[in-house]
Amino acid sequence: MRVGLFIFLLLPLGYLSAELFYFQSAIDPIKYIYTFTGVAGMVLLFVTTTISLIKRKINLVPYRRQIGLFAFFYAFLHLSNFIVLDAQFDMNFVIKESLDKPFIYLGMSAFFILLFMAVTSVPKWYAQYYSYHKAIYVVLLLVTIHFIMAQKSLSQAQYGYLFVIAIIAFFKLKQRVKF
Amino acid sequence: MKSLTSNDITPKELFDNRRKFLKLGVASLVANSALVDLLAKENLPMSNLNYVKDTNPNNLTLNSFEQITSYNNFYEFTTSKEGVKGLAHTLKPKPWSIVVDGLVEKPFEMDVEELIKKYPLQERIYRFRCVEGWSMVVPWIGFELNQFIRDAKVLSKAKYIRFETRYDETMFPDQTRGIFATIDYPYVEGLRLDEAMNPLTLLCVGLYGKTLENQNGAPLRLVVPWKYGFKSIKSIAKISFTDVEPLNSWQKENPKEYGFYANVNPKVDHPRWSQKKERVLGKFLKQDTLLFNGYEKEVGYLYKDMDLTRYF
């Protein structure tokens, strides 16, 4: 099951690589990598929060860490795209843009929270840092704003994502705050 | 590839009947067969326009016909750049007449076919830079807008030219969506009259030797190579001359981010992203963006003493 899940979570990367290098169908490759890795990471993050939401019905909690780590992996590819292809290792540019442009510093902040969560997800530290993992909600908020700000204007598919996010947020709030 | 001469251009009558010929399986009789092979190999369209070729003095590397016609911002169809091509068939570019009104001696209407007959066509190989950060090089076919303006008998009061994309819900799906539409329609753009008179400004009817594909703004569009792509309005239905600065669609949509001028300028960032570099379509690495998209020599005088940060 775990191996199956591992392969399943690698599929987006396989698809992206095929599009980029085998079919060479991405007309604007840097943009395509951003969109693809960004959406993959964001979807997986929302999947991890949904797991605790539905754990009484279907218990997928044992797989949550693996999915969360893959979300981090796609976020890492997303950031690598910024540094390697977009900025071509011009670290002055990376730092300046990260401080200058709200949409980039929101994304950066989200990445560093995810990095902290990934590191402290090893069993030894998890017990100690468990409560800090609530920061996932900050990440979800940052990532959603980052995603909206990256667009010139929102498409219908993007409104679709936001609609699903709103539903998850609603049930999440309902679960945590007893009405 | 080998350069084409006007002898290689398929006569219009034959072109219009091309499907019939193809069905008969005698396509090779239409033009010399080597040319047909070449077009197929390079994935180029059959030429159907007569024009003077651009010598490409700047040695720009063209983007492919496939790239230029598969990655389009045309919100009347969809906001997905890859999605426009598949939806654009609802646009019917023929017949198509444009209205010319406002501060002219006498308003008039003219069919695009007439325009093509009236003005000798030229190829112009221009850089094209989108405000979103990508760019391409396109061999446009058209004529200088200043020729058209001279014939329109514009009154001396006129200071600006305003363009409108066609409003027709049967052709443009996003126009039917009412309050759910992505932006307000019809799409509007404008130029200062001296910008419009600059010899680089083109009224465009084709690219790669062929009349415009729907997704590229058939049958008539504007091309202003030193400004961000959104200034180069597509599928024009109306041209008006006015004495007030037109409120262009993107400025109306978000005045903090988009202005009237929209000159390509690596030193003036978009509030949300940098404009210093650009992603050339089809490439993994970026290149530097040039002031006025590399046309400073030709258009710099238009903005002398102007604060380009304020008039972005």
Side-chain angles (χ1 to χ4, degrees):
Chain A
M1 175 73 187
R2 261 176 209 289
V3 176
L5 183 63
F6 190 87
I7 292 167
F8 180 75
L9 292 171
L10 271 178
L11 285 180
L13 180 64
Y15 180 84
L16 175 66
S17 314
E19 288 274 299
L20 288 176
F21 304 111
Y22 185 72
F23 298 108
Q24 302 192 345
S25 50
I27 297 176
D28 189 349
I30 300 180
K31 165 87 187 226
Y32 188 68
I33 298 169
Y34 272 134
T35 309
F36 199 93
T37 54
V39 168
M42 189 174 83
V43 167
L44 292 180
L45 283 178
F46 278 96
V47 168
T48 59
T49 43
T50 312
I51 285 177
S52 62
L53 197 62
I54 57 166
K55 69 180 169 201
R56 289 216 188 91
K57 301 222 166 64
I58 323 159
N59 186 12
L60 295 172
V61 173
Y63 305 106
R64 190 168 60 176
R65 173 167 179 245
Q66 192 180 359
I67 298 171
L69 283 174
F70 264 96
F72 172 71
F73 172 64
Y74 284 105
F76 173 75
L77 292 178
H78 191 74
L79 174 67
S80 306
N81 189 41
F82 178 46
I83 294 172
V84 178
L85 290 179
D86 200 343
Q88 287 160 36
F89 294 108
D90 177 352
M91 292 322 270
N92 281 331
F93 178 81
V94 170
I95 293 166
K96 202 175 153 285
E97 290 297 295
S98 303
L99 297 174
D100 245 27
K101 303 281 187 297
F103 114 79
I104 299 182
Y105 64 63
L106 294 178
M108 280 287 185
S109 313
F111 178 80
F112 283 108
I113 299 174
L114 284 179
L115 176 65
F116 164 80
M117 289 175 64
V119 171
T120 58
S121 74
V122 292
K124 192 170 71 176
W125 287 335
Y126 187 65
Q128 192 182 344
Y129 289 100
Y130 166 75
S131 57
Y132 293 105
H133 279 217
K134 287 202 181 74
I136 183 70
Y137 299 113
V138 180
V139 172
L140 292 175
L141 191 67
L142 293 176
V143 162
T144 306
I145 299 170
H146 172 80
F147 162 72
I148 294 169
M149 285 189 83
Q151 321 299 330
K152 195 154 85 184
S153 65
L154 287 172
S155 69
Q156 284 171 327
Q158 289 155 348
Y159 279 115
Y161 282 118
L162 291 180
F163 182 68
V164 174
I165 288 172
I167 291 174
I168 297 172
F170 172 76
F171 282 105
K172 208 74 202 179
L173 281 170
K174 212 172 137 192
Q175 181 192 41
R176 303 196 74 93
V177 187
K178 300 277 171 264
F179 289 103
Chain B
M1 64 169 274
K2 100 177 192 208
S3 64
L4 306 181
T5 67
S6 56
N7 293 333
D8 289 322
I9 291 167
T10 310
K12 190 183 165 300
E13 293 73 14
L14 290 178
F15 178 80
D16 289 340
N17 283 320
R18 66 199 187 283
R19 300 252 170 255
K20 234 182 271 171
F21 277 103
L22 286 169
K23 272 182 201 149
L24 291 168
V26 290
S28 55
L29 297 175
V30 177
N32 94 49
S33 62
L35 173 65
V36 172
D37 289 349
L38 183 69
L39 291 176
K41 204 174 87 201
E42 301 272 331
N43 225 338
L44 291 175
M46 282 278 214
S47 174
N48 63 350
L49 291 170
N50 266 305
Y51 60 93
V52 179
K53 269 201 92 72
D54 189 333
T55 56
N56 196 9
N58 297 322
N59 254 320
L60 300 173
T61 309
L62 299 191
N63 278 91
S64 70
F65 181 75
E66 177 73 17
Q67 288 167 335
I68 296 169
T69 57
S70 309
Y71 201 70
N72 312 96
N73 270 322
F74 204 156
Y75 282 22
E76 280 81 349
F77 294 106
T78 167
T79 54
S80 157
K81 283 180 271 293
E82 293 92 345
V84 176
K85 188 182 187 175
L87 294 170
H89 58 88
T90 53
L91 170 59
K92 301 281 174 261
K94 230 188 227 183
W96 190 285
S97 76
I98 57 161
V99 172
V100 181
D101 67 7
L103 300 173
V104 286
E105 276 178 25
K106 193 164 157 250
F108 60 96
E109 242 186 274
M110 198 170 180
D111 199 275
V112 171
E113 298 265 286
E114 282 175 67
L115 271 178
I116 293 179
K117 281 192 203 117
K118 187 168 174 189
Y119 297 102
L121 300 178
Q122 312 171 21
E123 180 183 49
R124 291 287 177 93
I125 296 174
Y126 284 156
R127 299 179 196 88
F128 183 94
R129 168 67 154 82
C130 179
V131 72
E132 298 164 352
W134 54 271
S135 72
M136 55 184 175
V137 172
V138 187
W140 303 108
I141 313 279
F143 52 91
E144 291 177 9
L145 175 61
N146 61 50
Q147 294 178 285
F148 178 81
I149 294 177
R150 286 203 179 94
D151 292 343
K153 303 212 171 67
V154 180
L155 302 178
S156 61
K157 274 187 297 183
K159 294 284 172 281
Y160 297 92
I161 183 168
R162 181 184 183 277
F163 302 89
E164 245 181 60
T165 294
R166 183 137 166 189
Y167 186 92
D168 185 334
E169 297 184 358
T170 64
M171 292 193 191
F172 300 115
D174 203 49
Q175 292 179 344
T176 64
R177 296 198 183 111
I179 57 161
F180 296 107
T182 317
I183 54 173
D184 266 355
Y185 299 111
Y187 191 82
V188 173
E189 258 311 334
L191 294 171
R192 240 167 43 195
L193 212 48
D194 57 347
E195 296 177 315
M197 294 299 286
N198 185 284
L200 288 184
T201 310
L202 215 62
L203 270 180
C204 169
V205 298
L207 63 87
Y208 264 110
K210 182 188 171 298
T211 43
L212 286 169
E213 300 298 306
N214 288 348
Q215 61 269 32
N216 292 98
L220 182 75
R221 66 170 294 164
L222 184 70
V223 176
V224 198
W226 71 94
K227 290 176 180 282
Y228 291 120
F230 69 83
K231 295 295 289 183
S232 293
I233 185 171
K234 296 190 177 85
S235 304
I236 298 169
K238 194 166 144 188
I239 299 179
S240 318
F241 294 89
T242 101
D243 52 0
V244 288
E245 187 181 284
L247 180 60
N248 51 321
S249 287
W250 278 104
Q251 186 183 189
K252 184 175 169 195
E253 200 66 27
N254 194 340
K256 286 196 184 105
E257 299 191 349
Y258 306 98
F260 174 73
Y261 284 94
N263 290 319
V264 175
N265 189 339
K267 292 205 188 80
V268 179
D269 278 355
H270 184 279
R272 285 182 283 153
W273 54 79
S274 163
Q275 297 291 28
K276 287 178 196 67
K277 293 188 173 218
E278 62 200 42
R279 312 184 300 271
V280 183
L281 294 189
K283 293 205 178 137
F284 272 99
L285 294 178
K286 306 218 291 190
Q287 70 179 32
D288 287 340
T289 288
L290 305 168
L291 179 60
F292 301 123
N293 209 19
Y295 301 101
E296 188 182 2
K297 214 171 64 203
E298 291 89 343
V299 303
Y301 71 93
L302 292 164
Y303 312 104
K304 215 163 64 90
D305 306 324
M306 240 174 85
D307 179 355
L308 296 174
T309 311
R310 189 166 160 223
Y311 298 99
F312 53 86

